[in-house]
Amino acid sequence: MIAVARARQAPPARLGAIAMTPGTIDVQAVRRHFTFPEHGRIATNNAASTQPPRELLALYRSLAPGYENVHRGQSTASQRMTALFEASYDTIAQFIGAPGRASIALYRNTTEAINAVMYSLLTEFRDGDNVVTTMMEHNSNYVPWYALCREILPRLGRRVEYRLARFDPDTGELDLDHLASLIDSRTKLVCCTGASNFLGTRNPLAAIRALADASGYPQPGGERRSYLLVDGAQLVPGSFVDVQALGVDYLAFSFHKIMAPFGVGVLYAREHLLRSTLPFLYGGDMIAEGRVFPWQVEYNALPWKYTAGTPNILGAIISAQALRILLDLALTPGRPAYFGTDLPIGRAAVHAAMDRVSRWNQQLTGRALDGLGAVGGITIYGPRDPARRTSLVAFNLPGRDPVSVAQALNRAGVESRAGCHCATLAHHALGLTPPASCRLSFYLYNTPDEVDHAVAAVAAIAAGRNLPPVPRYRFKRPGARHARWRVPGALSA
């Protein structure tokens, strides 16, 4: 049997108690699961991509003996791989509180998932409709709607408008009054980020849901409300998310921001929407077996209606296991309970784990905000309350190009990102020329010392002083007799 498909087992006796009690992240125990500390890296570009634990990398190798396609074979290997692949949908659904796998569609990333919604709804838009989104969106939750309204539907003779809600330039908070003024009885869809990847702002999704519900737009199924699509790329990795409690119609996020390798994104949608709307991609596994005729084609049952062609089988399996190891790292980092099993994921365990991740991220972010706030002349974007934001801080230094700041931080061993962060509208709204900022972003494996070193480096750059020395990290490989020293950028022997 493949390693990840161990028989269902009960969690350790104390796991239930641990999962239900408050706690914090045991960051040193967490870091032992990753390779980047061994290389001395200060990985603080996590809003772009997180680091994978070594167990997930090893999982690829463990799947090799049973490597086969899914839904396309009668061999034992194919049947086992199919079971693992299908179980990955169940894990994803359980993690976000979806009713079941029929509400899940897998794509390459958040961007493709949002595009899938756009193309699925394309033929439903009526002349005079509108889409409402915001000025704080990632380009991936604005450009598809721009293209729909300006480039695609006009060629079909339909006039559909997109509308952009403002945010407060001082606080980074969404202007709910302006948003409400844009939503009317012709608003088919409201699109917003759950958390901005530039401002860090957590948007009030319950209030936005209420505004969408009150629009009165007549949907094809008889509902009289606007659909709500949430870009959860920055929200899901560090927060407890329950799609049913939030009442969202669509939620998109990517696994490369949740410790998994690149190449898998998720679209959650209400099951009746996936059942009634057209697919984004056609052919292959999305077709019902044997149901292709010259006069008719029938599509597969959910969720396979949205798996055109051969899917990213290993990516789906690894990504689902990333959610399981995230629970283990947050709850019992020295004693895995969920990783490598098909043990059902309870809502209490997910809530407890993500609460710990969220509180740890808030501690790191608050520390960064306090430290950076003391740097002379610095401009910090977004809310100053770490509880109102995700674990990233974007800033600019007077007279310094953000790219040069990021390059200097790299010389101090700090990994950051400079640019518009694909949040171009928000940078333009703030009048930034060029439309760019420098950003530090944290995750559950970062330490307070790393935050302090990053802040000290920013302070040195702002003051024109020498950069702080690159820290040396003492580490011990699992099973090794002696600890070794490593500096950032050095390769292990």
Side-chain angles (χ1 to χ4, degrees):
M1 183 66 71
I2 299 172
V4 72
R6 296 201 308 264
R8 181 172 298 173
Q9 54 183 307
R14 292 183 61 248
L15 180 62
I18 292 172
M20 295 299 291
T21 56
T24 187
I25 295 294
D26 184 349
V27 68
Q28 295 305 326
V30 167
R31 285 166 72 86
R32 286 194 285 270
H33 293 263
F34 295 84
T35 60
F36 74 90
E38 300 173 9
H39 301 280
R41 293 176 56 196
I42 301 177
T44 48
N45 187 24
N46 296 288
S49 292
T50 49
Q51 299 294 310
R54 56 170 51 90
E55 288 89 345
L56 287 185
L57 302 177
L59 182 55
Y60 264 112
R61 294 190 293 273
S62 75
L63 292 169
Y67 184 84
E68 245 299 357
N69 212 322
V70 300
H71 300 157
R72 291 169 173 82
Q74 286 69 48
S75 67
T76 299
S78 179
Q79 296 300 310
R80 287 178 175 172
M81 193 63 73
T82 296
L84 290 174
F85 175 69
E86 294 187 353
S88 69
Y89 280 72
D90 298 329
T91 292
I92 295 166
Q94 292 166 15
F95 186 83
I96 61 173
R101 67 171 66 163
S103 297
I104 304 298
L106 297 186
Y107 292 98
R108 292 181 298 174
N109 42 53
T110 305
T111 300
E112 189 171 88
I114 293 172
N115 273 267
V117 177
M118 187 269 281
Y119 279 105
S120 294
L121 296 179
L122 188 150
T123 59
E124 292 187 4
F125 281 93
R126 300 189 293 269
D127 201 47
D129 283 352
N130 65 76
V131 178
V132 174
T133 185
T134 85
M135 291 290 289
M136 64 169 57
E137 298 306 309
H138 189 285
N139 292 342
S140 295
N141 202 23
Y142 161 64
V143 176
W145 310 112
Y146 167 89
L148 176 85
C149 297
R150 291 288 188 90
E151 300 176 349
I152 300 174
L153 288 180
R155 297 189 179 191
L156 303 177
R158 295 180 195 168
R159 294 173 294 104
V160 173
E161 180 186 11
Y162 65 85
R163 300 173 177 176
L164 293 166
R166 298 185 298 255
F167 64 89
D168 187 310
D170 296 321
T171 67
E173 302 279 0
L174 181 63
D175 186 336
L176 284 177
D177 289 337
H178 187 229
L179 177 69
S181 73
L182 300 179
I183 299 172
D184 60 26
S185 61
R186 299 305 303 272
T187 302
K188 182 173 181 63
L189 183 70
V190 176
C191 308
C192 73
T193 182
S196 167
N197 72 319
F198 162 46
L199 303 167
T201 312
R202 292 175 179 269
N203 276 329
L205 296 181
I208 297 170
R209 170 74 274 173
L211 292 175
D213 280 345
S215 73
Y217 180 90
Q219 299 288 358
E223 299 172 282
R224 299 191 68 86
R225 61 183 184 85
S226 302
Y227 295 144
L228 175 61
L229 182 153
V230 172
D231 175 355
Q234 298 296 331
L235 181 70
V236 175
S239 309
F240 174 70
V241 172
D242 189 304
V243 291
Q244 295 185 85
L246 288 174
V248 298
D249 296 288
Y250 301 97
L251 174 78
F253 62 95
S254 294
F255 274 108
H256 70 266
K257 301 181 192 295
I258 319 178
M259 305 187 302
F262 305 102
V264 179
V266 174
L267 173 65
Y268 157 82
R270 294 180 188 265
E271 184 176 340
H272 76 274
L273 295 178
L274 291 179
R275 198 173 301 282
S276 61
T277 54
L278 296 174
F280 170 33
L281 300 168
Y282 291 79
D285 208 23
M286 59 83 62
I287 300 168
E289 182 70 24
R291 304 304 296 172
V292 177
F293 306 97
W295 61 89
Q296 181 183 10
V297 174
E298 295 180 18
Y299 301 138
N300 210 341
L302 294 177
W304 320 125
K305 175 184 174 183
Y306 293 88
T307 54
T310 300
N312 184 353
I313 300 164
L314 297 187
I317 295 169
I318 300 295
S319 295
Q321 289 298 317
L323 298 178
R324 291 179 171 273
I325 200 169
L326 176 58
L327 299 183
D328 288 338
L329 293 178
L331 298 174
T332 56
R335 195 169 74 255
Y338 292 103
F339 178 71
T341 78
D342 60 356
L343 184 72
I345 296 174
R347 300 307 293 152
V350 177
H351 198 293
M354 298 314 295
D355 182 62
R356 291 186 182 187
V357 172
S358 178
R359 282 189 285 115
W360 181 253
N361 287 345
Q362 283 184 28
Q363 290 180 44
L364 297 175
T365 307
R367 195 179 186 101
L369 288 168
D370 289 342
L372 292 172
V375 175
I378 195 171
T379 300
I380 298 173
Y381 304 104
R384 296 304 294 265
D385 179 0
R388 290 287 306 121
R389 62 187 300 150
T390 52
S391 52
L392 61 89
V393 182
F395 62 92
N396 271 317
L397 298 178
R400 297 299 300 264
D401 172 62
V403 173
S404 70
V405 173
Q407 291 169 339
L409 286 172
N410 187 58
R411 292 194 293 274
V414 178
E415 299 174 8
S416 63
R417 181 184 175 184
C420 69
H421 318 300
C422 298
T424 316
L425 286 174
H427 280 79
H428 283 310
L430 293 175
L432 298 180
T433 304
S437 59
C438 190
R439 184 184 70 190
L440 296 167
S441 49
F442 316 106
Y443 205 44
L444 80 163
Y445 42 59
N446 287 124
T447 67
D449 286 346
E450 290 178 327
V451 173
D452 292 345
H453 180 75
V455 168
V458 173
I461 295 167
R465 302 192 306 265
N466 291 333
L467 293 168
V470 176
R472 289 161 58 87
Y473 292 90
R474 188 172 175 84
F475 73 93
K476 184 178 180 182
R477 292 181 185 274
R481 294 181 61 188
H482 303 290
R484 301 172 65 186
W485 292 93
R486 185 70 60 202
V487 297
L491 297 178
S492 59

